């Protein structure tokens, strides 16, 4: 096989650098400009300069610092031309103190969902479609949230820094939500040819572990880490060599990573020791732990899982929790019990285009011998699935081949 040309090799290197450095670069520029949209533009401008210069000069020893310096110089030029650098670029001139109190008041107008959507886009690198799937809302809704978040942050001049005091506690929940949404997109990809995107799982888990070290007194941080550790332990058993999905009860549990499971158990114990056993992430971790403790699928304590889902539905009610609760009750008490819990979800607007609702209905109907109805549900699920692997699985089940 021929080696790539030097120019092509440099362009590939630039792509790799951008994947690694983009989020950090935009974050640094946002801290300087207090304007996410402007920061994205400056970062893109720096990337264009790199594409123009690096093929001739080579990739610098510290490409991230090079991109930041290039973007900062462009920012300085822009503000000099506007003759307002001293007022609008405090990070570069040190001429204005941070207006933290006023910024906090203005930032209160930025709701949690908009903040999370923007973070998923900038830090997690998720597409608008992937974020929409995570929140079970249309793509235009997510796009509007991202635009609104950028505008609100720019108007408020919010300092891009680690929060302190009461603000830190309030914002921790959003941080944990974003980390877990990134993990979930890696665990079951919204679209594309692969069912999993393990690099996203790895990144979310890395960030979660860092959070646990930075906030060791926060039980929900440990609960989230426990949940991700245990779920990540199944990665090697979740697909066939060709990428075909293997559902939980059919997985070879000898391929589950016992080191990750032990880490997950330790994190769950830490959450419980801090009094956080009833937190939403700790409850989900306890559910995952039930699966991890069962030597085989038939040994699973489904009644305990059903009770945990009952509690989770009270702590953090949502249509997705109710869907999972229905599955747990079906496994514990029979398919009819599951279908009874599914019935109210038919009118839930968040699940109208969610492929897993008809997929679960189809599975329960199949167990009851209602094969024609089951095949129709699987066909509907296939039509809604955007991931190629999930769509293929639903089509096989609709044809009675899985």
């Amino acid at each position: 096989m021929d080696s790539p040309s030097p120019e092509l090799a440099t362009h590939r290197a630039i792509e790799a650098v951008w994947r690694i450095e983009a989020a950090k670069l935009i974050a640094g520029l946002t801290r300087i400009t207090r304007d996410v949209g402007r920061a994205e533009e400056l970062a893109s401008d720096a990337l264009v300069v790199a594409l123009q210069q690096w093929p001739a000069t080579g990739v610098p020893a510290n490409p991230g610092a090079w991109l930041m310096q290039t973007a900062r110089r462009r920012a300085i030029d822009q503000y000099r031309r506007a003759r307002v650098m001293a007022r609008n670029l405090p990070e570069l001139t040190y001429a204005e103190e941070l207006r933290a109190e006023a910024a906090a008041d203005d930032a209160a107008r930025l709701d949690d969902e908009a903040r999370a959507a923007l973070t998923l886009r900038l830090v997690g690198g998720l597409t608008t479609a992937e974020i929409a799937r995570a929140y079970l809302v249309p793509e235009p809704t997510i796009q509007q949230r991202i635009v609104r978040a950028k505008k609100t942050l720019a108007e408020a001049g919010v300092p891009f820094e680690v929060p302190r005091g009461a603000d830190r506690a309030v914002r921790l929940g959003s941080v944990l939500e974003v980390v877990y949404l990134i993990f979930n997109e890696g665990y079951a990809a919204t679209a594309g040819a692969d069912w999993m995107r393990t690099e996203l799982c790895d990144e979310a888990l890395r960030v979660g572990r860092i959070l646990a070290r930075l906030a060791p007194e926060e039980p929900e941080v440990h609960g989230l880490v426990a949940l991700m550790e245990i779920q990540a332990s199944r990665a090697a058993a979740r697909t066939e060599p060709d990428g075909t999905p293997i559902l939980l009860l059919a997985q070879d549990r000898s391929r589950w990573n016992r080191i990750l499971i032990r880490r997950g158990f330790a994190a769950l114990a830490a959450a419980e020791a801090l009094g956080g056993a009833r937190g939403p992430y700790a409850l989900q971790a306890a559910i995952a732990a039930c699966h991890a403790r069962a030597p085989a699928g038939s040994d699973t304590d489904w009644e305990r899982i059903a009770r945990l889902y009952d509690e989770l539905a009270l702590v953090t009610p949502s249509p997705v929790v109710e869907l999972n609760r229905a599955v747990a009750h079906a496994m514990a008490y029979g398919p009819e019990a599951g279908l009874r819990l599914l019935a109210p979800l038919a009118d839930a607007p968040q699940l109208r285009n969610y492929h897993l609702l008809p997929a679960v209905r189809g599975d329960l109907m199949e167990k009851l011998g209602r094969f024609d109805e089951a095949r129709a549900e699987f066909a509907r699920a296939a039509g809604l699935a955007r991931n190629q692997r999930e769509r293929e699985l639903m089509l096989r089940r609709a044809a009675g081949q899985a």
Side-chain angles (χ1 to χ4, degrees), residues 95-126:
E96 181 184 337
E97 294 183 357
L98 293 174
R99 297 163 294 172
E101 185 174 349
D105 290 340
D106 290 337
R109 296 185 283 118
L110 181 60
D111 60 81
D112 288 345
E113 290 182 340
R115 184 166 59 215
L118 180 61
T119 307
L120 286 167
R121 184 73 187 91
L122 294 181
V123 180
L126 271 63

Side-chain angles (χ1 to χ4, degrees), residues 14 42 72 76 103 177 188 210 255 260 264 273 310 351:
I14 294 172
L42 292 169
R72 284 170 65 97
I76 291 171
E177 178 186 14
I210 292 172
R255 301 188 65 199
L260 291 180
D310 291 343
L351 300 183

Side-chain angles (χ1 to χ4, degrees), residues 78-228:
Q78 289 178 353
Y79 279 98
R80 279 176 175 162
R81 286 194 298 270
R83 300 179 64 83
V84 292
M85 187 175 76
R87 184 174 71 251
N88 289 342
L89 199 59
E91 184 69 20
L92 294 181
T93 65
Y94 302 101
E96 181 184 337
E97 294 183 357
L98 293 174
R99 297 163 294 172
E101 185 174 349
D105 290 340
D106 290 337
R109 296 185 283 118
L110 181 60
D111 60 81
D112 288 345
E113 290 182 340
R115 184 166 59 215
L118 180 61
T119 307
L120 286 167
R121 184 73 187 91
L122 294 181
V123 180
L126 271 63
T127 66
T128 302
E130 291 165 349
I131 302 169
R133 186 248 196 181
Y135 281 101
L136 301 179
V137 298
E139 289 183 37
T141 300
I142 291 297
Q143 188 60 45
Q144 290 169 5
R145 288 178 186 174
I146 292 173
V147 171
R148 184 171 72 251
K150 291 179 181 179
K151 181 179 179 182
T152 301
L153 290 173
E155 291 176 348
V158 176
F160 199 79
E161 60 186 11
V162 177
R164 296 177 177 84
D167 192 39
R168 177 176 178 270
V170 170
R171 291 169 62 182
L172 179 62
S174 292
V175 172
L176 297 181
E177 178 186 14
V178 167
V179 172
Y180 192 44
L181 287 173
I182 294 172
F183 181 89
N184 271 340
E185 181 57 35
Y187 196 72
T190 299
D194 298 322
W195 194 32
M196 295 184 64
R197 296 172 62 187
T198 54
E199 72 281 1
L200 287 180
C201 291
D202 292 343
E203 181 63 14
L205 194 47
R206 183 185 69 83
V207 173
R209 290 168 179 164
I210 292 172
L211 282 172
R213 291 196 297 270
L214 294 174
E217 75 290 353
E218 297 287 348
E220 272 292 81
V221 174
H222 295 290
L224 174 59
V225 172
L227 176 58
M228 293 192 297

Side-chain angles (χ1 to χ4, degrees), residues 355-370:
H355 67 287
L356 291 183
L357 177 57
V360 170
R361 275 203 303 254
D363 186 69
L364 298 183
M365 289 173 177
E366 188 176 69
K367 290 176 179 176
L368 290 169
R370 295 160 58 179

Side-chain angles (χ1 to χ4, degrees), residues 25 29 42-43 45-50 53-54 63-77:
L25 178 62
L29 292 168
L42 292 169
D45 289 345
L47 175 62
V48 170
V49 176
Q53 295 186 10
W54 290 4
W66 189 98
L67 290 169
M68 176 59 80
Q69 184 63 26
T70 301
R72 284 170 65 97
R73 286 173 179 165
R74 182 164 179 79
I76 291 171
D77 290 342

